[in-house]
Amino acid sequence: MIKNYACHRVYEGSHAYLSQSVVSITKNGEVVACKPLSQETAFTEWIGGVIVLSPISENVDSIDFNTLRQQQRKGNEPFPLYAWHISDFNFQEEAPTPQSLIRRLPFSV
């Protein structure tokens, strides 16, 4: 089963971001696709904020925006990427705010 999340920006590593994009992930959180949101897409949840694609799979106490962006794939290594959502993001400063929550997708209910 695939779940689609749309947001304002998607970052992968330290590269530039993609605006208004959809990230598709499996139920265990592995990213299988990332594409621009060019039209309304069925079965897609708009969550706003940003999503950072990172090889970090486990939540650790010191997880932050910069740590997630610095962790990148090395060359063409085939390990999976995971989607991390950051809410309440300051887009002018390209940084989370003190109120931001950083959680790995999919959200647990």
Side-chain angles (χ1 to χ4, degrees), residues 8-94:
H8 292 96
R9 290 185 185 170
V10 175
Y11 292 87
E12 181 180 355
S14 59
H15 305 297
Y17 60 84
L18 302 170
S19 292
Q20 303 286 318
S21 296
V22 176
V23 174
S24 301
I25 61 173
T26 62
K27 66 180 177 181
N28 68 347
E30 292 182 15
V31 174
V32 293
C34 180
K35 59 186 177 187
L37 178 64
S38 56
Q39 61 187 14
E40 188 172 325
T41 306
F43 307 109
T44 299
E45 181 179 349
W46 176 264
I47 57 175
V50 302
I51 293 174
V52 180
L53 305 182
S54 173
I56 297 174
S57 63
E58 297 300 320
N59 198 2
V60 293
D61 293 336
S62 61
I63 202 77
D64 64 24
F65 179 62
N66 292 325
T67 301
L68 289 170
R69 287 192 69 195
Q70 290 169 1
Q71 298 297 315
Q72 301 178 49
R73 294 187 212 211
K74 305 290 189 249
N76 291 326
E77 292 180 27
F79 58 83
L81 290 176
Y82 298 90
W84 292 82
H85 178 248
I86 303 175
S87 63
D88 202 20
F89 194 80
N90 183 327
F91 291 100
Q92 289 181 323
E93 294 182 19
E94 277 198 64

